[in-house]
Amino acid sequence: MSLTRTLNYLNIDLKVPIVLSYKIVDDQAEFKDAVFEDGKLVVEEIVNNSYEVKIDVPVYTFREDIIYKLNPFLQLESGFLLSYSPANSYEDGRFYEYERVEESRTRSVTFENGNRIEYFTPERYEITELEETHFEFGHDFYRSEGYLQARYDPLPSLSFALGTRLDYLDLTEELSIQPRASVNVKLQNDFNLRFAYGQYEQSPRPYQLLSENGNPALKSSIARHYIFEIENEFTQQTDFKFATYYKDTQNMVINDKIPVQPGEARAESEGGRLATDDTISNFLNQGSAYVGGVEAFLRHRIPDRFFGWVSYAYTHAEQREKNDALYKPYLFDNTHIVSIVANYNFTENTEMGLKWQYLSGTSAVPISSLLIQDPVTRGLNPLLASVDEELHTELKPYHKLDLRLSHKWKVRGTKIGGFIDIINLYNRKNKIEFSFKEATLIIQDEEIVIEEWKSEEVRQLPRIFYVGLTLEF
């Protein structure tokens, strides 16, 4: 039995400066806002695109789990969980639309005392529109779930598990019944075979139901998992696992946006971001998806000296927004993932660990698929969801090596430990690519569409050092 309280905070304060104009003052002024480029003076007058978000989600949880053995062959397992979460969030944003009015060039000015200064002015812009957003949200979330499972072992080589999970989804006021089953068979050659099936349901995210444009008629999405596993201990020190799996999901919530003023499209000025018609969200249970793949795992251990493992995973995942639409890949569909881990004990108190990982990357998908969100309500506030649907992100092939060194000392009966972690040891420059439409022209009657895409790459984490100290008593 457990009673816990968890605090969850998420704060984002983002400002992006936009250079609008330049002021030249006399040579006695303090150029505290000056920027120097190649020895030339630039005095900038700027405004800021700003985006501020604060989320506070405390969670209170009560949980109970019970296992009761009826006889040597039959065991009952049950439990329940109750939680309460008074969640609150707000969002403020200022977003400027602007157009270029002057090219960059080098200028000069001569003051009354005869001093002459050369300065460089980059491109200058003027504001064409300001959009201000404000969003506040508060809701008390309740969670209740329970499970009951029977495990039956009629033979030493055969085991069955059959059960069900019951969830009450408070947002949709649904009682969800989710059956689970598995069979484990142990063969004479020390191979274990396992078959498993499970049905899972997920409630829509809060903003899809409760926001101004939410749909209170939404229902939960349903996913069915099928798993087949093989395990074998080649020796007492080496074991191997292989698994293949498939999952299909139905009734996914899709944002089917509807234009407010159909046919009144406009193109953004040169160098600006795409400006589309105003739209409203129309959340519907009309999406579907599937994921399939295989995983292989090989581990070797030498007691008190070494352990290491190698794993490989192949995954293919696609989704579609409507039944008559084509399946498309979505973010985090890393086709190939390889991990190699090794840990060596030089002495009883000194050890070193290494981990190398490779991911093959993902296809480009709309950034709205990637929501920054609090970890409890999974989208109390759809952060970045207001970003243009035409903004895409793509994860490039990725690999890195992590190193850990640790040592322990005994001081007057107390164990003191210290460690050093180096993330991305060889400083691999892993990249994320963002693509967006730089300009779009739509002629309504002639149905002519001209699109230009621009791509920018952003580096992921560089080499990072961690130093830590532990105390055992």
Side-chain angles (χ1 to χ4, degrees):
M1 180 185 296
S2 65
L3 180 63
T4 61
R5 180 194 181 194
T6 307
L7 302 179
N8 298 278
Y9 297 100
L10 174 62
N11 295 327
I12 296 176
D13 188 3
L14 178 65
K15 288 182 173 61
V16 180
I18 303 171
V19 177
L20 292 179
S21 60
Y22 310 87
K23 296 186 295 185
I24 305 303
V25 297
D26 61 61
D27 58 349
Q28 301 300 318
E30 294 183 3
F31 296 106
K32 64 180 179 179
D33 295 326
V35 177
F36 290 88
E37 296 183 5
D38 299 327
K40 299 173 183 178
L41 179 64
V42 182
V43 182
E44 301 179 342
E45 184 178 306
I46 63 175
V47 296
N48 287 287
N49 276 341
S50 62
Y51 190 66
E52 184 179 4
V53 174
K54 290 187 178 180
I55 293 180
D56 180 10
V57 189
V59 183
Y60 304 85
T61 304
F62 175 67
R63 177 166 184 165
E64 170 72 29
D65 294 276
I66 300 172
I67 298 176
Y68 186 77
K69 202 158 190 175
L70 296 173
N71 57 54
F73 308 103
L74 182 59
Q75 177 175 292
L76 293 180
E77 302 167 1
S78 65
F80 67 88
L81 180 147
L82 304 173
S83 74
Y84 166 65
S85 177
N88 295 278
S89 75
Y90 81 85
E91 168 188 333
D92 283 302
R94 290 172 61 87
F95 303 99
Y96 293 92
E97 293 287 349
Y98 53 93
E99 62 181 10
R100 186 170 58 191
V101 296
E102 189 173 329
E103 299 286 347
S104 60
R105 60 175 176 165
T106 301
R107 301 182 181 186
S108 64
V109 62
T110 302
F111 297 100
E112 293 180 357
N113 58 9
N115 290 342
R116 184 173 180 272
I117 297 178
E118 285 190 346
Y119 60 97
F120 171 79
T121 61
E123 298 174 339
R124 189 164 65 88
Y125 298 88
E126 285 187 353
I127 298 296
T128 59
E129 185 179 347
L130 169 61
E131 179 184 358
E132 295 185 283
T133 63
H134 179 75
F135 176 85
E136 292 187 22
F137 186 81
H139 188 80
D140 293 341
F141 292 92
Y142 299 90
R143 179 182 169 197
S144 56
E145 62 185 52
Y147 69 91
L148 176 63
Q149 176 172 277
R151 191 177 300 277
Y152 181 53
D153 303 325
L155 299 172
S157 59
L158 184 62
S159 176
F160 297 93
L162 182 64
T164 187
R165 177 189 175 102
L166 293 91
D167 289 351
Y168 177 72
L169 309 176
D170 69 308
L171 289 176
T172 57
E173 298 182 348
E174 294 177 290
L175 178 62
S176 168
I177 302 176
Q178 306 163 43
R180 316 282 169 85
S182 67
V183 179
N184 190 81
V185 181
K186 183 176 293 186
L187 305 179
Q188 293 182 351
N189 53 5
D190 292 331
F191 275 92
N192 282 344
L193 306 181
R194 182 177 297 109
F195 306 87
Y197 165 83
Q199 179 173 305
Y200 301 81
E201 294 194 24
Q202 185 179 58
S203 179
R205 292 189 175 101
Y207 73 89
Q208 296 168 340
L209 283 159
L210 305 175
S211 66
E212 181 180 354
N213 295 323
N215 180 3
L218 289 176
K219 300 298 181 182
S220 59
S221 58
I222 301 174
R224 297 178 178 87
H225 295 233
Y226 307 86
I227 301 172
F228 171 64
E229 295 179 342
I230 301 175
E231 298 180 4
N232 181 259
E233 288 192 6
F234 297 128
T235 67
Q236 292 183 346
Q237 298 176 335
T238 306
D239 59 285
F240 172 77
K241 296 180 181 180
F242 174 85
T244 181
Y245 59 90
Y246 178 81
K247 179 183 81 169
D248 72 271
T249 305
Q250 304 296 325
N251 296 336
M252 291 177 58
V253 179
I254 299 297
N255 186 2
D256 188 9
K257 288 196 171 182
I258 301 175
V260 174
Q261 297 175 337
E264 296 185 9
R266 56 191 175 92
E268 180 62 20
S269 58
E270 181 183 359
R273 297 291 287 276
L274 173 69
T276 61
D277 289 336
D278 292 332
T279 58
I280 60 173
S281 297
N282 186 28
F283 297 106
L284 300 171
N285 288 106
Q286 62 181 18
S288 58
Y290 71 88
V291 180
V294 297
E295 296 180 0
F297 176 87
L298 179 65
R299 178 174 55 189
H300 182 71
R301 292 165 290 187
I302 301 176
D304 302 324
R305 180 61 66 182
F306 170 85
F307 77 84
W309 49 265
V310 179
S311 71
Y312 167 77
Y314 169 84
T315 302
H316 182 68
E318 293 187 350
Q319 70 175 17
R320 62 182 180 183
E321 296 187 351
K322 298 179 181 179
N323 291 332
D324 56 352
L326 296 176
Y327 279 100
K328 296 180 181 180
Y330 57 94
L331 196 62
F332 304 124
D333 178 22
N334 283 284
T335 305
H336 306 281
I337 301 176
V338 179
S339 298
I340 301 175
V341 174
N343 195 88
Y344 186 78
N345 290 11
F346 295 99
T347 67
E348 181 181 354
N349 296 313
T350 305
E351 64 179 323
M352 178 181 72
L354 292 169
K355 178 181 179 180
W356 183 81
Q357 190 173 46
Y358 168 82
L359 289 79
S360 61
T362 68
S363 302
V365 298
I367 198 172
S368 57
S369 299
L370 174 61
L371 298 179
I372 301 174
Q373 55 196 353
D374 70 273
V376 178
T377 64
R378 293 173 298 177
L380 173 67
N381 200 16
L383 314 184
L384 296 185
S386 59
V387 174
D388 197 320
E389 288 284 338
E390 300 302 330
L391 179 61
H392 288 68
T393 183
E394 177 180 354
L395 298 179
K396 297 295 184 179
Y398 170 103
H399 59 83
K400 68 181 179 70
L401 176 67
D402 301 337
L403 169 68
R404 181 184 179 92
L405 296 171
S406 65
H407 184 76
K408 292 182 179 180
W409 299 268
K410 287 186 178 179
V411 180
R412 296 181 180 180
T414 301
K415 277 190 176 183
I416 300 176
F419 65 87
I420 298 175
D421 279 352
I422 305 177
I423 310 299
N424 195 9
L425 180 65
Y426 50 72
N427 201 23
R428 158 75 179 183
K429 293 179 173 60
N430 296 300
K431 300 290 184 67
I432 302 177
E433 181 178 285
F434 294 94
S435 303
F436 57 87
K437 287 183 181 178
E438 192 172 35
T440 299
L441 173 64
I442 301 176
I443 302 177
Q444 180 181 351
D445 297 331
E446 302 295 335
E447 297 184 353
I448 297 176
V449 178
I450 300 174
E451 297 180 348
E452 293 183 5
W453 285 82
K454 182 178 179 180
S455 298
E456 297 178 0
E457 289 188 344
V458 178
R459 184 179 177 183
Q460 298 191 49
L461 292 178
R463 184 189 296 118
I464 300 176
F465 293 86
Y466 290 94
V467 178
L469 188 66
T470 62
L471 181 64
E472 298 179 22
F473 55 90

